[in-house]
Amino acid sequence: MKKMVLAAAVLAMAGSAFAADMPLKAVKAPPLAPFDPWDIAFGSAVMSDYIFRGVTQSNHNLSVAAYFEPRYNLTKDLQLYIGTSVESISFANRAAAEVDVYGGIRPTFGAFAFDFGVWGYLYPGGNCADNFLTGGFPGGNVCPVSTSTIFLANGNVMKKDVSFVEVYGKVNYTINDNWQFGVNEYYSPNFLNSGAWGDYASITGKYTAPSTTFGTSGVGMYVSGEVGRQWLGTSDAFYGVVSALGNFARGIPYASYDTWNIGIGFTYKVFTLDLRYSDSDLSKGNCNAFTSAFNASGTTNVTSINPGGAGSNWCGAAGIVKLSADLTAMTNLK
Protein backbone atom coordinates (compact mmCIF):
# COMPACT_ATOMS: atom_id res chain seq x y z
CA MET A 1 0.00 0.00 0.00
CA LYS A 2 2.86 2.34 0.91
CA LYS A 3 4.50 1.52 -2.43
CA MET A 4 1.29 2.50 -4.29
CA VAL A 5 1.03 5.85 -2.47
CA LEU A 6 4.70 6.60 -3.16
CA ALA A 7 4.24 5.75 -6.84
CA ALA A 8 1.20 8.03 -7.09
CA ALA A 9 3.13 10.92 -5.51
CA VAL A 10 6.04 10.46 -7.93
CA LEU A 11 3.64 10.44 -10.89
CA ALA A 12 1.93 13.58 -9.63
CA MET A 13 5.26 15.39 -9.27
CA ALA A 14 6.35 14.27 -12.68
CA GLY A 15 3.04 15.42 -14.15
CA SER A 16 3.42 18.86 -12.53
CA ALA A 17 6.94 19.22 -13.89
CA PHE A 18 5.80 18.19 -17.35
CA ALA A 19 2.92 20.68 -17.22
CA ALA A 20 5.31 23.45 -16.25
CA ASP A 21 7.37 22.74 -19.36
CA MET A 22 4.33 22.89 -21.64
CA PRO A 23 3.93 26.16 -23.64
CA LEU A 24 1.15 28.35 -22.29
CA LYS A 25 -1.58 29.39 -24.67
CA ALA A 26 -1.19 33.14 -25.39
CA VAL A 27 -4.00 35.35 -24.19
CA LYS A 28 -5.31 37.40 -27.08
CA ALA A 29 -4.81 41.14 -26.49
CA PRO A 30 -7.93 43.28 -26.72
CA PRO A 31 -8.20 45.11 -30.07
CA LEU A 32 -6.93 48.69 -30.15
CA ALA A 33 -9.59 51.35 -30.17
CA PRO A 34 -10.15 52.58 -33.73
CA PHE A 35 -8.48 55.91 -34.53
CA ASP A 36 -11.17 58.59 -34.74
CA PRO A 37 -9.79 61.54 -36.70
CA TRP A 38 -12.68 63.90 -35.94
CA ASP A 39 -13.08 66.17 -32.95
CA ILE A 40 -14.90 69.40 -32.12
CA ALA A 41 -13.75 72.09 -29.73
CA PHE A 42 -16.23 74.66 -28.48
CA GLY A 43 -16.70 77.03 -25.61
CA SER A 44 -17.82 80.42 -24.35
CA ALA A 45 -16.55 83.22 -22.16
CA VAL A 46 -17.60 86.35 -20.32
CA MET A 47 -14.97 89.03 -19.70
CA SER A 48 -14.90 92.41 -18.04
CA ASP A 49 -13.10 93.90 -21.08
CA TYR A 50 -12.31 92.58 -24.56
CA ILE A 51 -8.68 93.58 -25.19
CA PHE A 52 -7.09 92.86 -28.57
CA ARG A 53 -3.36 93.57 -28.80
CA GLY A 54 -3.50 96.20 -26.11
CA VAL A 55 -6.62 97.96 -27.46
CA THR A 56 -10.11 97.56 -26.01
CA GLN A 57 -12.75 96.38 -28.47
CA SER A 58 -15.61 96.85 -26.01
CA ASN A 59 -15.01 100.39 -24.68
CA HIS A 60 -13.69 98.85 -21.44
CA ASN A 61 -17.09 97.26 -20.83
CA LEU A 62 -18.35 93.69 -20.43
CA SER A 63 -18.03 91.42 -23.46
CA VAL A 64 -19.24 87.89 -24.16
CA ALA A 65 -17.77 85.40 -26.63
CA ALA A 66 -18.35 81.92 -28.02
CA TYR A 67 -16.53 79.68 -30.50
CA PHE A 68 -16.99 76.43 -32.43
CA GLU A 69 -14.04 74.58 -34.03
CA PRO A 70 -14.28 71.25 -35.91
CA ARG A 71 -10.95 69.43 -36.19
CA TYR A 72 -9.68 66.60 -38.38
CA ASN A 73 -6.54 64.69 -37.35
CA LEU A 74 -4.73 63.31 -40.37
CA THR A 75 -2.33 61.67 -37.90
CA LYS A 76 -1.68 62.12 -34.20
CA ASP A 77 0.82 64.86 -35.15
CA LEU A 78 -1.04 66.66 -37.94
CA GLN A 79 -4.38 68.40 -37.50
CA LEU A 80 -6.58 70.39 -39.88
CA TYR A 81 -9.16 72.77 -38.45
CA ILE A 82 -11.76 75.41 -39.27
CA GLY A 83 -13.67 77.52 -36.82
CA THR A 84 -15.84 80.50 -36.06
CA SER A 85 -16.21 82.74 -33.04
CA VAL A 86 -18.35 85.70 -32.04
CA GLU A 87 -17.49 88.53 -29.63
CA SER A 88 -19.55 91.51 -28.51
CA ILE A 89 -17.85 94.84 -29.28
CA SER A 90 -18.38 98.61 -29.15
CA PHE A 91 -17.02 100.45 -32.21
CA ALA A 92 -17.62 103.97 -33.49
CA ASN A 93 -19.48 102.57 -36.53
CA ARG A 94 -21.75 100.61 -34.17
CA ALA A 95 -21.04 97.25 -35.78
CA ALA A 96 -23.27 94.54 -34.30
CA ALA A 97 -20.45 92.17 -33.30
CA GLU A 98 -17.13 90.72 -34.29
CA VAL A 99 -17.56 87.46 -36.20
CA ASP A 100 -14.35 85.53 -36.83
CA VAL A 101 -13.95 82.82 -39.46
CA TYR A 102 -10.64 80.96 -39.56
CA GLY A 103 -8.90 77.79 -40.61
CA GLY A 104 -5.47 76.23 -40.78
CA ILE A 105 -3.13 73.34 -40.05
CA ARG A 106 -1.34 72.33 -36.84
CA PRO A 107 1.71 70.09 -37.28
CA THR A 108 3.64 68.83 -34.25
CA PHE A 109 7.29 67.77 -34.20
CA GLY A 110 8.29 66.51 -30.79
CA ALA A 111 8.19 69.43 -28.35
CA PHE A 112 7.38 71.93 -31.14
CA ALA A 113 3.71 72.62 -31.97
CA PHE A 114 3.12 74.78 -35.07
CA ASP A 115 -0.02 76.53 -36.25
CA PHE A 116 -0.46 78.11 -39.71
CA GLY A 117 -3.67 79.61 -40.99
CA VAL A 118 -5.90 82.42 -42.22
CA TRP A 119 -8.17 84.49 -39.96
CA GLY A 120 -11.05 86.66 -41.16
CA TYR A 121 -12.43 89.38 -38.87
CA LEU A 122 -15.95 90.38 -39.90
CA TYR A 123 -17.88 93.32 -38.43
CA PRO A 124 -21.46 93.22 -39.76
CA GLY A 125 -24.15 95.78 -39.09
CA GLY A 126 -21.97 98.90 -39.06
CA ASN A 127 -22.73 102.33 -40.48
CA CYS A 128 -20.39 105.01 -41.76
CA ALA A 129 -19.32 107.47 -39.04
CA ASP A 130 -18.67 111.08 -40.10
CA ASN A 131 -17.69 114.32 -38.38
CA PHE A 132 -20.35 116.17 -36.41
CA LEU A 133 -23.31 117.85 -38.08
CA THR A 134 -22.99 121.58 -38.80
CA GLY A 135 -26.28 123.30 -39.41
CA GLY A 136 -27.81 120.04 -40.52
CA PHE A 137 -24.98 119.20 -42.93
CA PRO A 138 -22.14 116.73 -42.31
CA GLY A 139 -19.06 118.60 -41.17
CA GLY A 140 -16.56 116.11 -42.58
CA ASN A 141 -18.48 115.20 -45.71
CA VAL A 142 -16.56 111.91 -45.70
CA CYS A 143 -19.38 109.36 -45.68
CA PRO A 144 -21.77 108.92 -48.60
CA VAL A 145 -25.09 110.67 -48.10
CA SER A 146 -27.25 108.34 -46.03
CA THR A 147 -29.91 108.56 -43.36
CA SER A 148 -28.02 105.90 -41.37
CA THR A 149 -24.77 107.91 -41.10
CA ILE A 150 -23.44 108.24 -37.55
CA PHE A 151 -22.13 111.69 -36.61
CA LEU A 152 -19.41 111.95 -33.98
CA ALA A 153 -18.93 115.15 -32.02
CA ASN A 154 -15.17 114.64 -31.57
CA GLY A 155 -14.25 114.87 -35.26
CA ASN A 156 -13.50 111.17 -35.77
CA VAL A 157 -14.61 109.15 -38.78
CA MET A 158 -14.93 105.41 -39.41
CA LYS A 159 -15.87 103.26 -42.36
CA LYS A 160 -19.10 101.30 -42.45
CA ASP A 161 -17.24 98.02 -42.91
CA VAL A 162 -13.88 97.49 -41.18
CA SER A 163 -13.61 93.76 -41.88
CA PHE A 164 -10.17 92.40 -42.75
CA VAL A 165 -8.09 89.23 -43.15
CA GLU A 166 -4.81 88.10 -41.59
CA VAL A 167 -2.44 85.21 -42.26
CA TYR A 168 -0.55 83.84 -39.28
CA GLY A 169 2.09 81.45 -38.10
CA LYS A 170 2.71 80.33 -34.52
CA VAL A 171 5.00 77.90 -32.73
CA ASN A 172 4.96 76.73 -29.11
CA TYR A 173 7.86 74.90 -27.50
CA THR A 174 7.07 72.73 -24.47
CA ILE A 175 10.10 72.33 -22.21
CA ASN A 176 8.37 70.10 -19.67
CA ASP A 177 5.03 69.74 -17.89
CA ASN A 178 5.48 73.19 -16.34
CA TRP A 179 7.09 75.49 -18.90
CA GLN A 180 6.07 76.53 -22.40
CA PHE A 181 7.20 79.37 -24.70
CA GLY A 182 5.90 80.60 -28.04
CA VAL A 183 6.44 82.95 -30.99
CA ASN A 184 3.57 84.43 -33.03
CA GLU A 185 3.39 86.33 -36.32
CA TYR A 186 0.30 87.87 -37.99
CA TYR A 187 0.11 89.94 -41.19
CA SER A 188 -2.73 91.81 -42.88
CA PRO A 189 -2.44 93.81 -46.13
CA ASN A 190 -5.40 95.98 -45.04
CA PHE A 191 -5.74 96.15 -41.26
CA LEU A 192 -9.29 97.04 -40.15
CA ASN A 193 -10.01 97.89 -43.80
CA SER A 194 -8.12 101.14 -43.17
CA GLY A 195 -5.86 100.83 -46.20
CA ALA A 196 -2.86 100.39 -43.90
CA TRP A 197 -0.95 97.12 -43.71
CA GLY A 198 -0.53 95.60 -40.25
CA ASP A 199 2.08 93.25 -38.86
CA TYR A 200 1.97 91.85 -35.33
CA ALA A 201 4.72 89.76 -33.71
CA SER A 202 4.92 88.55 -30.13
CA ILE A 203 6.58 86.13 -27.75
CA THR A 204 4.66 84.30 -25.05
CA GLY A 205 5.49 82.34 -21.94
CA LYS A 206 3.47 80.13 -19.62
CA TYR A 207 4.19 78.39 -16.36
CA THR A 208 1.75 75.67 -15.29
CA ALA A 209 1.89 74.75 -11.62
CA PRO A 210 2.08 71.07 -10.60
CA SER A 211 -1.31 69.37 -10.41
CA THR A 212 -0.79 68.79 -6.68
CA THR A 213 -0.46 72.50 -5.87
CA PHE A 214 -3.97 72.56 -4.43
CA GLY A 215 -3.91 68.98 -3.20
CA THR A 216 -6.60 66.71 -4.58
CA SER A 217 -9.09 69.53 -5.21
CA GLY A 218 -8.66 69.30 -9.00
CA VAL A 219 -7.85 73.03 -9.20
CA GLY A 220 -4.96 73.96 -11.49
CA MET A 221 -3.02 77.20 -11.80
CA TYR A 222 -0.87 78.93 -14.40
CA VAL A 223 0.94 82.22 -14.93
CA SER A 224 1.31 83.53 -18.49
CA GLY A 225 2.36 86.63 -20.35
CA GLU A 226 2.97 88.14 -23.78
CA VAL A 227 5.12 90.93 -25.20
CA GLY A 228 4.33 92.07 -28.74
CA ARG A 229 4.67 94.85 -31.26
CA GLN A 230 2.04 96.04 -33.74
CA TRP A 231 3.52 97.67 -36.84
CA LEU A 232 1.12 99.74 -38.96
CA GLY A 233 1.34 101.33 -42.40
CA THR A 234 -0.45 104.35 -43.87
CA SER A 235 -4.23 104.50 -44.16
CA ASP A 236 -6.15 105.47 -47.27
CA ALA A 237 -7.61 108.92 -47.89
CA PHE A 238 -10.81 108.17 -45.98
CA TYR A 239 -8.89 108.77 -42.75
CA GLY A 240 -6.66 111.52 -44.16
CA VAL A 241 -6.08 114.78 -42.27
CA VAL A 242 -4.62 118.14 -43.20
CA SER A 243 -3.25 120.47 -40.53
CA ALA A 244 -0.39 122.76 -39.67
CA LEU A 245 1.36 119.72 -38.16
CA GLY A 246 1.32 117.72 -41.36
CA ASN A 247 -0.44 117.22 -44.66
CA PHE A 248 -1.77 113.65 -44.67
CA ALA A 249 -4.62 114.14 -47.12
CA ARG A 250 -3.77 110.83 -48.80
CA GLY A 251 -3.82 108.91 -45.53
CA ILE A 252 -2.53 108.77 -41.96
CA PRO A 253 0.81 107.06 -41.19
CA TYR A 254 -0.43 105.23 -38.12
CA ALA A 255 1.91 105.00 -35.12
CA SER A 256 3.29 101.51 -34.42
CA TYR A 257 3.30 100.47 -30.79
CA ASP A 258 4.38 97.91 -28.20
CA THR A 259 1.93 95.99 -26.04
CA TRP A 260 2.20 93.50 -23.20
CA ASN A 261 0.06 91.53 -20.78
CA ILE A 262 0.58 89.26 -17.79
CA GLY A 263 -1.89 87.26 -15.76
CA ILE A 264 -2.67 84.35 -13.51
CA GLY A 265 -5.30 81.72 -14.20
CA PHE A 266 -7.09 79.01 -12.25
CA THR A 267 -8.61 75.94 -13.89
CA TYR A 268 -11.19 73.44 -12.71
CA LYS A 269 -12.47 70.76 -15.07
CA VAL A 270 -13.59 72.69 -18.18
CA PHE A 271 -13.59 76.12 -16.50
CA THR A 272 -10.85 78.78 -16.44
CA LEU A 273 -10.76 82.00 -14.44
CA ASP A 274 -8.12 84.35 -15.87
CA LEU A 275 -7.03 87.59 -14.14
CA ARG A 276 -4.87 89.74 -16.44
CA TYR A 277 -3.20 93.14 -16.77
CA SER A 278 -2.77 94.63 -20.26
CA ASP A 279 -1.07 97.82 -21.45
CA SER A 280 0.59 99.51 -24.44
CA ASP A 281 2.84 102.51 -25.12
CA LEU A 282 0.47 104.13 -27.64
CA SER A 283 -0.25 107.72 -26.61
CA LYS A 284 -3.81 108.91 -26.12
CA GLY A 285 -3.59 111.11 -29.20
CA ASN A 286 -2.23 108.42 -31.52
CA CYS A 287 -4.65 105.95 -29.98
CA ASN A 288 -7.53 108.23 -30.97
CA ALA A 289 -6.25 108.48 -34.55
CA PHE A 290 -5.96 104.70 -34.79
CA THR A 291 -9.21 103.66 -33.13
CA SER A 292 -11.60 106.50 -34.13
CA ALA A 293 -12.99 106.18 -30.61
CA PHE A 294 -16.50 107.58 -30.32
CA ASN A 295 -15.87 108.81 -26.76
CA ALA A 296 -12.48 110.47 -27.31
CA SER A 297 -12.36 113.94 -25.76
CA GLY A 298 -10.14 116.92 -24.99
CA THR A 299 -7.89 119.13 -27.09
CA THR A 300 -4.46 118.66 -25.52
CA ASN A 301 -3.44 115.28 -27.00
CA VAL A 302 -2.09 116.82 -30.19
CA THR A 303 0.15 114.75 -32.49
CA SER A 304 0.96 115.05 -36.17
CA ILE A 305 -1.71 112.48 -37.04
CA ASN A 306 -4.16 113.75 -34.41
CA PRO A 307 -4.24 117.55 -34.88
CA GLY A 308 -7.60 117.98 -33.15
CA GLY A 309 -6.08 116.97 -29.83
CA ALA A 310 -8.82 114.57 -28.75
CA GLY A 311 -7.47 111.69 -26.66
CA SER A 312 -8.64 108.11 -26.14
CA ASN A 313 -7.99 105.74 -23.24
CA TRP A 314 -8.79 102.69 -25.39
CA CYS A 315 -5.08 101.79 -25.65
CA GLY A 316 -3.98 102.27 -22.03
CA ALA A 317 -3.68 100.09 -18.97
CA ALA A 318 -6.56 97.73 -18.27
CA GLY A 319 -7.39 94.88 -15.95
CA ILE A 320 -9.40 91.97 -17.32
CA VAL A 321 -11.34 89.27 -15.50
CA LYS A 322 -12.36 86.42 -17.79
CA LEU A 323 -14.37 83.29 -17.01
CA SER A 324 -14.44 80.70 -19.79
CA ALA A 325 -15.52 77.14 -20.44
CA ASP A 326 -13.71 75.05 -23.08
CA LEU A 327 -14.71 71.55 -24.16
CA THR A 328 -13.85 68.98 -26.81
CA ALA A 329 -16.39 66.45 -27.97
CA MET A 330 -14.11 63.40 -27.78
CA THR A 331 -12.98 64.22 -24.24
CA ASN A 332 -15.94 65.87 -22.53
CA LEU A 333 -18.97 64.43 -24.31
CA LYS A 334 -18.18 60.70 -24.30
Side-chain angles (χ1 to χ4, degrees), residues 127-133 138-144 149-158 238:
N127 289 295
C128 193
D130 208 335
N131 292 331
F132 58 88
L133 281 168
N141 200 28
V142 174
C143 296
T149 298
I150 299 169
F151 294 99
L152 304 176
N154 57 18
N156 283 339
V157 298
M158 194 173 197
F238 180 91

Side-chain angles (χ1 to χ4, degrees), residues 69 77-83 102-109 112-119 166-172 183-186:
E69 183 184 293
D77 295 320
L78 186 61
Q79 181 183 88
L80 303 177
Y81 65 94
I82 58 173
Y102 59 91
I105 184 170
R106 295 180 179 131
T108 301
F109 301 97
F112 291 91
F114 294 85
D115 189 352
F116 304 100
V118 179
W119 197 292
E166 283 186 323
V167 294
Y168 59 89
K170 301 185 284 184
V171 58
N172 281 311
V183 177
N184 308 300
E185 168 66 25
Y186 297 79

Side-chain angles (χ1 to χ4, degrees), residues 5-63:
V5 173
L6 180 60
V10 170
L11 288 173
M13 292 175 64
S16 298
F18 178 72
D21 290 335
M22 290 180 64
L24 295 175
K25 185 177 181 181
V27 178
K28 189 176 181 181
L32 295 175
F35 176 70
D36 190 347
W38 288 101
D39 203 354
I40 299 174
F42 57 97
S44 59
V46 57
M47 44 199 159
S48 61
D49 197 349
Y50 174 21
I51 301 289
F52 179 71
R53 299 177 190 170
V55 180
T56 181
Q57 309 292 285
S58 59
N59 186 26
H60 292 308
N61 290 320
L62 189 74
S63 176

Side-chain angles (χ1 to χ4, degrees), residues 53 159 162-166 186-200 230-240 250-256 289-290 305:
R53 299 177 190 170
K159 292 180 179 178
V162 294
S163 303
F164 69 104
V165 175
E166 283 186 323
Y186 297 79
Y187 176 79
S188 172
N190 190 6
F191 194 78
L192 280 171
N193 194 28
S194 64
W197 57 265
D199 185 278
Y200 179 73
Q230 177 73 64
W231 289 274
L232 295 164
T234 300
S235 76
D236 55 33
F238 180 91
Y239 294 102
R250 294 184 178 181
I252 297 176
Y254 287 131
S256 301
F290 175 53
I305 62 174

